[in-house]
Amino acid sequence: MKHNLYREFKRIFNKDAENAYFSPGRVNLIGEHIDYNGGLVMPCAITFGTYILAAANNDKVFRFRSLNFDESLDIPLKGEYEKTGETWYNYPLGIIDYFMAEHNEIRGLDLLYYGDIPISSGLSSSASIEVATAYMLNDLFACGYSKLELVQLSKEVENDFIGVACGIMDQFAVAFGEKDKALMLNCDSLEYKAVDSNLGEYCLAIINTNKPRKLAESKYNERVNECQQALKALQQELDIQNLCDIDTDTFRKHQHLIKDATVLKRATHVVEENDRVKLAAAALETGDLGEFGQLMFASHDSLKNLYEVSGKELDAIAEYGKIDPNVAGARMTGAGFSGCGIALVKQSAFEQFTQGMVDYYTKKIGYAPSVYLSAIGDGVGVLNAFENSKSETLNSKL
């Protein structure tokens, strides 16, 4: 059954929505587990994301509703909030908690959320919700935060309110994304360059393993700790603040300082992956998608063997990419532990690729993946400011 999001808002709240916002999800083309190590990443915004419809109320209450989840929340306006359980509304509640703690003048709101990002897929649905909510509050109540400040406060909420020790890449990508461009972001300085991403005869395929993961409960925080151990060991001889402050050659000259074999593997991935991002940016800018694809494969192999965050499901996606002649490159994307993989696929062979991937994966894993075609899209904004096709896409999905 097709629905209209605005009609759903009126059905639920018995009044019209006054404002609408969209924030995309993201994929990281290359540069995984680099963001919290002060290195280079290359994410892009995708055309799937989070929609928020809002209307002010005079009841001094926040009302959270979602078309994706049954859980709802009505909570009075107050100075601070706490995370409750593992429900979806913790993400917007954390943002509101931040705004209230900063003494912004906020009124009660009726809020309807809808997302077309596959749940728990590693495409940054949490960052999408956080940034969309922060952008909305900043816009509605003229709080005066810059876009970068919205990114930084959203990351702080993810770290402190939600309890996930993520870096800043996800929030940055969904805020600053540009159509048909990848963002080469320095996660330490937050300087970035929009790299033209002319994929030519290729397109971006997103392959969902359909094995949900919960990031806060995964080994993500363990990897962060292992990297901190490696950094501390290297700092015995090197004046560095992050693992990615050094290149591969310098790392190899000092890797003897890291005595734990597992910690050494983690650090090796981080430093080499950071160098791969530089090579990938050069390949993308010159349109050498063959080279870019080989770097994607190398990135996945490192994440599998050195960082150990892939798993059989994500490995199956990369394996199929290597045997399909229509694929330039494939790799896991995001934090890993299941979630999604991506592949550069010839547009003319996308349907053939999809069937081949489904057959290969199903035979290996026992159930089918989901395969999506995505463009590289824009970052967060007012929904009415997006092109008409966004609204048309929305109505066709609801």
Side-chain angles (χ1 to χ4, degrees):
M1 181 186 297
K2 290 185 178 180
H3 300 284
N4 179 285
L5 191 54
Y6 292 88
R7 189 167 63 238
E8 287 297 292
F9 186 96
K10 188 164 187 176
R11 178 185 66 80
I12 293 168
F13 293 112
N14 198 31
K15 61 182 178 182
D16 291 327
E18 297 168 353
N19 303 89
Y21 303 86
F22 175 78
S23 180
R26 70 94 189 95
V27 296
N28 191 25
L29 297 176
I30 196 165
E32 221 63 76
H33 287 275
I34 298 297
D35 55 343
Y36 52 84
N37 287 297
L40 296 168
V41 293
M42 194 180 291
C44 63
I46 57 176
T47 47
F48 303 93
T50 301
Y51 301 83
I52 306 177
L53 265 61
N57 66 55
N58 296 316
D59 305 321
K60 297 182 178 179
V61 170
F62 294 112
R63 298 187 179 97
F64 297 97
R65 301 292 185 272
S66 170
L67 297 183
N68 302 97
F69 302 99
D70 293 332
E71 298 93 347
S72 62
L73 178 69
D74 293 11
I75 192 166
L77 201 66
K78 56 183 182 179
E80 61 179 321
Y81 299 94
E82 293 181 356
K83 179 184 175 185
T84 54
E86 299 299 327
T87 52
W88 69 272
Y89 51 69
N90 281 312
Y91 295 97
L93 189 64
I95 297 294
I96 290 172
D97 175 71
Y98 185 101
F99 273 72
M100 298 301 289
E102 293 285 302
H103 305 294
N104 292 290
E105 294 293 328
I106 307 294
R107 293 176 55 197
L109 291 170
D110 296 333
L111 300 168
L112 178 62
Y113 286 77
Y114 169 72
D116 56 8
I117 304 172
I119 305 301
S120 297
S121 62
L123 301 179
S124 293
S125 56
S126 60
S128 180
I129 292 173
E130 289 158 358
V131 172
T133 305
Y135 188 96
M136 171 193 68
L137 294 174
N138 195 49
D139 181 59
L140 290 179
F141 301 111
C143 299
Y145 294 107
S146 68
K147 190 180 283 189
L148 180 58
E149 288 171 328
L150 296 178
V151 167
Q152 291 169 321
L153 72 86
S154 295
K155 173 188 176 292
E156 187 173 322
V157 167
E158 183 91 21
N159 294 162
D160 299 336
F161 193 90
I162 302 300
V164 176
C166 70
I168 204 166
M169 176 184 70
D170 294 353
Q171 291 81 5
F172 196 98
V174 304
F176 284 92
E178 295 182 34
K179 182 175 173 59
D180 296 328
K181 293 182 184 292
L183 306 179
M184 187 168 72
L185 168 67
N186 183 315
C187 294
D188 183 36
S189 67
L190 299 187
E191 295 175 351
Y192 78 99
K193 177 182 180 181
V195 180
D196 285 332
S197 300
N198 181 4
L199 300 182
E201 62 177 332
Y202 288 88
C203 59
L204 181 64
I206 300 173
I207 307 98
N208 187 357
T209 62
N210 287 329
K211 180 184 178 184
R213 63 179 174 85
K214 294 186 177 178
L215 198 56
E217 299 172 7
S218 72
K219 294 187 176 181
Y220 184 95
N221 290 350
E222 181 181 304
R223 294 297 181 274
V224 174
N225 180 257
E226 289 165 341
C227 290
Q228 290 170 344
Q229 291 178 51
L231 176 62
K232 188 175 181 180
L234 292 170
Q235 284 172 333
Q236 295 174 74
E237 293 183 3
L238 294 169
D239 182 18
I240 57 173
Q241 302 302 313
N242 299 289
L243 283 181
C244 292
D245 289 346
I246 54 176
D247 60 16
T248 301
D249 288 342
T250 304
F251 174 73
R252 286 175 180 161
K253 291 173 184 174
H254 295 86
Q255 66 182 33
H256 63 275
L257 296 169
I258 304 173
K259 306 303 183 185
D260 184 286
T262 298
V263 172
L264 178 60
K265 288 201 299 183
R266 308 301 188 239
T268 302
H269 161 76
V270 168
V271 176
E272 292 181 349
E273 182 82 346
N274 194 52
D275 283 350
R276 268 191 290 272
V277 175
K278 300 172 188 176
L279 296 172
L284 202 57
E285 286 186 308
T286 58
D288 190 346
L289 296 178
E291 171 66 11
F292 189 89
Q294 290 305 306
L295 291 164
M296 291 175 70
F297 284 130
S299 172
H300 183 89
D301 289 344
S302 181
L303 289 158
K304 173 185 176 181
N305 299 317
L306 296 177
Y307 221 70
E308 299 180 279
V309 292
S310 60
K312 63 180 182 180
E313 295 84 6
L314 290 166
D315 291 343
I317 291 170
E319 288 164 10
Y320 180 73
K322 289 179 180 179
I323 63 174
D324 188 327
N326 295 305
V327 175
R331 61 184 293 274
M332 58 159 276
T333 189
F337 316 111
S338 68
C340 284
I342 56 173
L344 286 183
V345 183
K346 285 185 179 177
Q347 295 182 46
S348 59
F350 184 78
E351 289 185 13
Q352 180 183 334
F353 162 81
T354 299
Q355 189 59 57
M357 175 64 76
V358 168
D359 291 346
Y360 182 89
Y361 184 96
T362 303
K363 185 176 180 180
K364 266 216 126 150
I365 305 302
Y367 56 87
S370 300
V371 182
Y372 305 92
L373 175 63
S374 177
I376 297 175
D378 285 314
V380 67
V382 177
L383 184 57
N384 292 343
F386 283 76
E387 56 191 273
N388 291 333
S389 62
K390 174 57 69 178
S391 297
E392 292 166 5
T393 300
L394 169 62
N395 291 333
S396 70
K397 289 178 178 177
L398 288 171

